[in-house]
């Protein structure tokens, strides 16, 4: 006798700083409570707001980025991971395994936002790929990226129970809100690593290496 999946809270952990800690106080409804298999466009806000904010902060237009068609043409999570790995072959992308699995599943079950050319999942995947690009990756330590992606993966792990099952409209709304928050965090992170150092920062000597035994 099967049991209905539990309904965890959708929580975005503090990926960058405490102010990014966001908890949706309403427990997630059961994905089986109101079956609906139709994949229909849904109002883009708040995701369109997060997308506009990302583009404003980073000057990156997802619709024109070469990664978008590459990712959209992938027919499995493994192919998506291959594309992301090609962005930075030296980077250990195992910290993105669950995130990619969940985003790929939601790319079809959620559908597209009204007025958007792509599903929210692909916006997040492109944003991840941009962080892995060599020109950007050279400006941030692997440890910092791995920490970011591991925290993301912890959050997406909680959503895995909702992949591959009919989603209620309320559940779709909550998932899209969660994705909007993730995209906003990626925007701030991307801007922070692409920010050119000021003249004062450029003149400062590099920090001395810390003793690993301390």
């Amino acid at each position: 006798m099967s049991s209905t999946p539990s309904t965890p809270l959708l929580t975005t952990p503090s990926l960058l700083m405490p102010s990014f800690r966001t908890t949706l106080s309403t427990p997630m409804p059961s994905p089986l409570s109101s079956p609906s298999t139709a994949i229909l466009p849904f109002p883009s806000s708040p995701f369109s707001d997060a997308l506009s904010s990302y583009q404003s902060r980073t000057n990156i237009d997802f619709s024109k980025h070469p990664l978008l068609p590459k990712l959209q043409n992938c027919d499995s999570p493994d192919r998506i991971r291959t594309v992301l790995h090609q962005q930075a072959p030296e980077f250990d992308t195992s910290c993105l395994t669950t995130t990619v699995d969940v985003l790929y599943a939601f790319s079809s079950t959620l559908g597209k936002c009204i007025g958007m050319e792509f599903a929210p999942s692909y916006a997040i995947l492109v944003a991840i790929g941009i962080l892995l690009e060599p020109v950007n990756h050279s400006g941030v330590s692997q440890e910092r990226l791995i920490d970011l992606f591991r925290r993301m993966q912890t959050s997406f792990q909680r959503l895995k129970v909702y992949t591959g099952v009919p989603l209620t409209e309320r559940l779709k709304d909550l998932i899209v809100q969660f994705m909007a928050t993730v995209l906003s965090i990626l925007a701030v992170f991307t801007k922070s690593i692409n920010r050119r150092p000021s003249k004062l920062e450029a003149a400062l000597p590099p920090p001395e290496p810390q003793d690993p035994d301390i």
Side-chain angles (χ1 to χ4, degrees):
M1 186 173 179
S2 60
S3 58
T4 302
S6 59
T7 57
L9 295 179
L10 268 182
T11 303
T12 300
S14 177
L15 300 184
L16 302 178
M17 56 189 72
S19 60
F20 279 95
R21 188 180 301 275
T22 303
T23 301
L24 301 182
S25 57
T26 304
M28 296 290 285
S30 169
L32 304 178
S33 59
S34 178
S36 174
T37 57
I39 301 174
L40 301 174
F42 47 85
S44 55
S45 185
F47 193 84
S48 63
D49 294 337
L51 184 62
S52 297
S53 177
Y54 182 100
Q55 294 177 349
S56 176
R57 288 175 180 270
T58 64
N59 294 319
I60 296 172
D61 185 349
F62 285 154
S63 64
K64 298 178 181 178
H65 200 282
L67 263 180
L68 180 61
K70 289 182 180 180
L71 292 167
Q72 287 179 314
N73 289 332
C74 293
D75 58 5
S76 70
D78 285 339
R79 289 186 179 273
I80 290 178
R81 281 187 283 269
T82 297
V83 172
L84 294 178
H85 181 69
Q86 290 171 350
Q87 293 296 102
E90 75 284 3
F91 187 82
D92 181 10
T93 55
S94 63
C95 55
L96 291 168
T97 299
T98 301
T99 299
V100 170
D101 288 343
V102 173
L103 287 173
Y104 179 79
F106 285 147
S107 68
S108 58
T109 57
L110 283 178
K112 299 179 181 179
C113 294
I114 294 175
M116 288 179 57
E117 301 176 3
F118 45 85
S121 292
Y122 289 112
I124 294 177
L125 288 169
V126 172
I128 290 172
I130 289 170
L131 282 173
L132 291 173
E133 286 178 353
V135 63
N136 291 334
H137 182 250
S138 61
V140 62
S141 69
Q142 287 201 25
E143 291 76 15
R144 191 178 176 198
L145 275 181
I146 289 174
D147 181 63
L148 170 72
F149 292 149
R150 282 178 176 170
R151 290 172 183 266
M152 282 178 52
Q153 184 155 259
T154 298
S155 292
F156 277 103
Q157 179 67 45
R158 300 185 182 188
L159 294 182
K160 197 168 186 178
V161 67
Y162 299 106
T163 61
V165 298
L167 302 177
T168 65
E169 293 305 311
R170 172 59 175 159
L171 187 53
K172 285 183 180 181
D173 289 343
L174 290 174
I175 293 173
V176 171
Q177 289 177 37
F178 169 80
M179 288 188 174
T181 302
V182 171
L183 186 62
S184 297
I185 292 170
L186 291 174
V188 174
F189 198 93
T190 301
K191 182 179 180 179
S192 72
I193 68 173
N194 288 340
R195 183 180 62 84
R196 293 182 179 180
S198 65
K199 292 182 179 180
L200 175 61
E201 291 173 324
L204 293 174
E208 296 184 3
Q210 296 183 351
D211 188 340
D213 294 331
I214 295 179

